[in-house]
Amino acid sequence: MKKTILLLLFVTTPIVLTAQSLFDSLEDLNGVDMVVVTKDAFELISKFKNIKIEDNEGMKVFEMIQDLKEFKMFSTNDAKVATIMGDLVNASIKNQNLTELMRIKDDASRVKIYVKTTKNKGYVSEVLMFVKGLSKKTNKVSEAVIVSLIGSIDINKISELADTF
């Protein structure tokens, strides 16, 4: 019996350790556009320390991404998929104990930004942004965008960058 339990543990441990985030299920859905940048890509970018970026915004972006571990963006113009995305965002907020940072309403669009705080109040370990609304281009077809940033994220750099844009 003990051998059977140990065998099951050895078999299931890799599955549990490589569990996907809730949003990874969106990758296989039709009608979802996505961008995923991994920790390895950010590590590679951070090795380019001799890069001279002329514009101030570019330098701020470069400084901010050096401590990121993951960037994911999913978007859709499909109303059914937008509903699924909203459900996944709500589940992630609950599972990750995310705190609402702000809500924005602009015409038919809604933007919600959530963060996972750390002991250091100047940094967060996760930023989750969800945009849902009606597209003027597609004649009122529902659209949604999820942006997820994971890593050591300086709130001051994000706010400076947001002010710039």
Side-chain angles (χ1 to χ4, degrees), residues 9 11-20:
L9 283 174
V11 170
T12 59
T13 299
I15 295 168
V16 172
L17 292 177
T18 59
Q20 298 177 335

Side-chain angles (χ1 to χ4, degrees), residues 28 52 91-92 122 150:
D28 298 326
K52 296 197 179 192
S92 182
I150 297 175

Side-chain angles (χ1 to χ4, degrees), residues 90-147:
N90 291 333
S92 182
I93 292 165
K94 186 177 179 179
N95 291 343
Q96 299 296 323
N97 292 324
L98 301 177
T99 304
E100 186 176 64
L101 190 61
M102 68 174 63
R103 284 187 305 238
I104 302 166
K105 179 184 175 200
D106 181 29
D107 289 330
S109 296
R110 306 277 190 282
V111 178
K112 294 181 180 181
I113 302 174
Y114 299 89
V115 296
K116 186 168 191 175
T117 57
T118 62
K119 291 180 183 177
N120 182 345
K121 293 293 183 185
Y123 288 84
V124 295
S125 61
E126 183 174 351
V127 175
L128 178 63
M129 182 172 75
F130 182 56
V131 181
K132 187 174 182 182
L134 300 178
S135 172
K136 294 176 184 174
K137 287 190 261 181
T138 57
N139 195 16
K140 297 188 176 183
V141 173
S142 184
E143 63 182 0
V145 177
I146 295 173
V147 177

Side-chain angles (χ1 to χ4, degrees), residues 34-126:
M34 60 169 254
V35 175
V36 176
V37 181
T38 64
K39 177 183 169 187
D40 293 333
F42 289 118
E43 286 177 1
L44 181 64
I45 292 169
S46 70
K47 297 200 187 289
F48 298 117
K49 297 190 187 247
N50 296 330
I51 292 178
K52 296 197 179 192
I53 300 173
E54 300 299 324
D55 67 336
N56 199 20
E57 292 90 17
M59 191 53 138
K60 287 178 185 174
V61 169
F62 185 74
E63 288 174 357
M64 189 176 78
I65 66 170
Q66 288 183 341
D67 294 324
L68 288 180
K69 292 185 175 137
E70 186 176 73
F71 168 85
K72 291 183 179 185
M73 184 181 80
F74 302 94
S75 65
T76 189
N77 287 324
D78 184 316
K80 290 179 184 177
V81 175
T83 301
I84 292 169
M85 291 170 78
D87 293 343
L88 289 174
V89 166
N90 291 333
S92 182
I93 292 165
K94 186 177 179 179
N95 291 343
Q96 299 296 323
N97 292 324
L98 301 177
T99 304
E100 186 176 64
L101 190 61
M102 68 174 63
R103 284 187 305 238
I104 302 166
K105 179 184 175 200
D106 181 29
D107 289 330
S109 296
R110 306 277 190 282
V111 178
K112 294 181 180 181
I113 302 174
Y114 299 89
V115 296
K116 186 168 191 175
T117 57
T118 62
K119 291 180 183 177
N120 182 345
K121 293 293 183 185
Y123 288 84
V124 295
S125 61
E126 183 174 351

